[in-house]
């Protein structure tokens, strides 16, 4: 008995503390479903229990543009209003709210669903593989896009059809990566079960459902086209060389790139010097014989092996070579001068060594001057014949031997 009394009294106490009041108005019907393809107009009645001077206030939650849903109010008597609602090809879920002005705790709501069957679904372009990591497919689905954006309960299921008795190719539950309200498309992303494996001619069954309004199905071809990156970076530059590294270096597929390098002497003039960089499948290439402290524009376009259909954009970047250093030229000049000095010293030492050997071998020498030669003789019966020299050279040689 006491517990029953407490259960009846406690709610009254809480209502007094928090000023809660039982709503004095009613809105009918409390739930409505409208098919956008047939009827887009519906009537509601909002009434209050007492004949008060307070006026009704009608609104929608969330707020919807009058271009999509229009509401008109007609007073039937002092306690009841008729609400006429008309939608203009709107699809979504929302609430119709009826309140009394200056009495916000008196409120009545009606849940409304406006929709239709998902209609036709269609892939609008080839499914595209990005970075050899995942594949994305874009599907045109106008009704589903509106349902998703406007809170109408919906669901899309994907069922991969068997592919030549092989196990599943793509992981379940693809990710919805984009909803394009302008083009009315949905883009989903699949990751392969086996890294880098994206076969042709695989089929995917799509089932799209909007609760209370029906289901549509579509069989999608997932034959891929590969988007490859032509992007690159200069990872090392000097005054005369660029080391160019491509972003596709991690790919297991053979990718070929070709491009050009343009020397831009003056951005305000049309004088440019362009050199072609031939096709290469290396991930790192070099541009040599460049001018120091000069800006160049590098452009490349890459493609995959012929058996793969690819799309790629033309990418250009600007880089500037390093300036030539005065220390660089000073060191080079010093090395050259040092080498010349060492050569001269070597020649002098070689001459001195040869003449010393001659002097030791022949001892006292006598010279007999001929028109073309000098004959050096001593006790040795074999004379030493030297080429003809000038008088000055002869005098220097005699002084040296003395």
């Amino acid at each position: 008995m006491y517990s029953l009394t407490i259960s009846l009294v406690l709610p009254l106490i809480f209502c007094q503390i928090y000023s809660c009041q039982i709503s004095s108005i009613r809105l009918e019907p409390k739930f409505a479903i409208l098919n956008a393809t047939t009827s887009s107009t519906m009537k509601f009645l909002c009434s209050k229990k007492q004949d008060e001077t307070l006026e009704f206030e009608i609104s929608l939650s969330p707020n919807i543009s009058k271009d999509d849903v229009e509401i008109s109010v007609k007073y039937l008597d002092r306690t009841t209003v008729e609400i006429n609602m008309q939608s203009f090809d709107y699809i979504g879920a929302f609430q119709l709210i009826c309140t009394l002005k200056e009495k916000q705790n008196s409120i009545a709501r009606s849940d409304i669903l406006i929709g239709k069957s998902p209609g036709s679904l269609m892939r609008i372009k080839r499914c595209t593989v990005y970075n050899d990591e995942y594949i994305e497919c874009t599907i045109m689905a106008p009704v589903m896009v509106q349902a998703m954006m406007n809170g109408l309960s919906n669901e899309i299921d994907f069922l991969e059809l068997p592919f030549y008795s092989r196990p599943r190719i793509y992981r379940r539950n693809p990710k919805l990566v984009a909803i394009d309200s302008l083009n009315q498309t949905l883009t989903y992303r699949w990751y392969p079960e086996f890294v880098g494996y994206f076969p042709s001619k695989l089929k995917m069954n799509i089932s799209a459902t909007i609760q209370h309004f029906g289901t549509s199905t579509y069989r999608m071809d997932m034959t891929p086209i590969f988007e490859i990156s032509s992007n690159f970076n200069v990872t090392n530059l000097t005054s005369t060389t660029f080391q160019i590294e491509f972003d596709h270096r991690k790919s297991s597929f053979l990718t070929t790139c070709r491009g050009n390098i343009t020397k831009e002497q003056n951005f305000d003039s049309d004088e440019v010097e362009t050199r072609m960089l031939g096709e290469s499948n290396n991930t790192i290439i070099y541009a040599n014989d460049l001018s120091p402290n000069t800006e160049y524009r590098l452009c490349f376009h890459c493609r995959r092996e012929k058996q793969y259909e690819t799309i790629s954009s033309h990418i250009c970047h600007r880089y500037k070579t390093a300036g030539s250093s005065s220390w660089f030229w000073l060191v080079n000049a010093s090395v050259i001068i040092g080498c010349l000095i060492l050569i001269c010293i070597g020649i002098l030492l070689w001459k001195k060594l040869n003449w010393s050997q001659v002097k030791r071998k022949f001892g006292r020498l006598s010279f007999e001057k001929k028109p073309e030669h000098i004959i050096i003789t001593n006790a040795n019966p074999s004379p030493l014949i030297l080429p003809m020299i000038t008088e000055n050279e002869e005098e220097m040689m005699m002084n040296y031997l003395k």
Side-chain angles (χ1 to χ4, degrees), residues 142-377:
V143 178
M144 291 299 293
V145 169
Q146 291 187 65
M148 290 179 178
M149 298 189 66
N150 297 328
L152 193 59
S153 180
N154 65 88
E155 184 178 11
I156 295 186
D157 295 317
F158 298 90
L159 177 63
E160 181 182 308
L161 298 182
F163 186 71
Y164 297 110
S165 301
R166 295 187 181 182
R168 175 176 291 276
I169 303 300
Y170 296 110
R171 299 176 191 172
R172 290 184 172 89
N173 303 320
K175 181 181 179 181
L176 177 62
V177 294
I179 301 177
D180 187 340
S181 59
L182 181 62
N183 296 311
Q184 299 182 323
T185 61
L186 304 172
T187 301
Y188 285 88
R189 177 183 297 171
W190 284 264
Y191 286 90
E193 291 284 359
F194 306 96
V195 176
Y197 184 52
F198 303 93
S200 300
K201 300 181 180 180
L202 184 139
K203 301 295 190 299
M204 185 75 69
N205 270 354
I206 304 175
S207 176
T209 302
I210 297 180
Q211 191 175 3
H212 303 294
F213 297 98
T215 300
S216 295
T217 59
Y218 172 61
R219 179 171 293 184
M220 181 174 67
D221 183 1
M222 293 186 67
T223 298
I225 186 172
F226 291 81
E227 180 178 90
I228 59 174
S229 173
S230 297
N231 198 29
F232 61 92
N233 290 292
V234 171
T235 55
N236 185 26
L237 57 85
T238 66
S239 60
T240 59
T241 303
F242 286 154
Q243 177 179 297
I244 305 164
E245 187 170 345
F246 294 97
D247 284 357
H248 63 255
R249 61 191 180 278
K250 297 180 181 179
S251 173
S252 58
F253 296 91
L254 184 64
T255 302
T256 302
C257 298
R258 66 180 305 170
N260 60 71
I261 181 169
T262 302
K263 180 180 180 181
E264 301 185 353
Q265 295 96 336
N266 188 348
F267 291 105
D268 297 328
S269 70
D270 295 331
E271 295 182 9
V272 292
E273 179 185 326
T274 300
R275 184 182 359 144
M276 301 303 297
L277 300 174
E279 281 194 344
S280 174
N281 52 27
N282 296 325
T283 57
I284 296 178
I285 64 173
Y286 296 88
N288 301 312
D289 301 325
L290 307 180
S291 300
N293 198 30
T294 303
E295 188 161 351
Y296 289 87
R297 184 177 72 248
L298 287 165
C299 297
F300 283 95
H301 181 268
C302 301
R303 59 179 177 83
R304 187 62 54 81
E305 299 170 271
K306 291 183 179 179
Q307 62 265 36
Y308 297 99
E309 190 171 351
T310 58
I311 53 175
S312 177
S313 55
H314 194 74
I315 301 296
C316 293
H317 295 308
R318 281 187 170 89
Y319 294 95
K320 189 175 183 179
T321 53
S324 58
S325 173
S326 58
W327 285 102
F328 174 80
W329 295 111
L330 181 61
V331 169
N332 284 348
S334 300
V335 170
I336 293 172
I337 294 172
C339 290
L340 291 175
I341 293 174
L342 290 175
I343 291 171
C344 292
I345 293 174
I347 292 172
L348 292 175
L349 291 175
W350 178 81
K351 286 185 176 181
K352 185 175 182 180
L353 179 62
N354 282 352
W355 283 112
S356 298
Q357 290 176 352
V358 170
K359 190 173 182 180
R360 286 196 303 271
K361 184 175 180 180
F362 295 100
R364 297 180 61 185
L365 305 176
S366 63
F367 294 86
E368 181 182 351
K369 194 170 183 180
K370 297 289 184 179
E372 297 179 354
H373 300 86
I374 293 178
I375 301 175
I376 304 176
T377 61

Side-chain angles (χ1 to χ4, degrees), residues 90-94 112-115 146-147 150-152:
Y90 181 81
I91 294 174
F94 58 94
I112 302 171
L113 305 178
I114 303 178
Q146 291 187 65
N150 297 328
L152 193 59

Side-chain angles (χ1 to χ4, degrees), residues 2 8 14 24 47 107 118 174 190 209 229 254 316 322 340 390 402:
Y2 289 106
L8 293 174
F14 279 110
S24 60
S47 60
I107 185 171
W190 284 264
T209 302
S229 173
L254 184 64
C316 293
L340 291 175
T390 63
K402 290 178 180 180

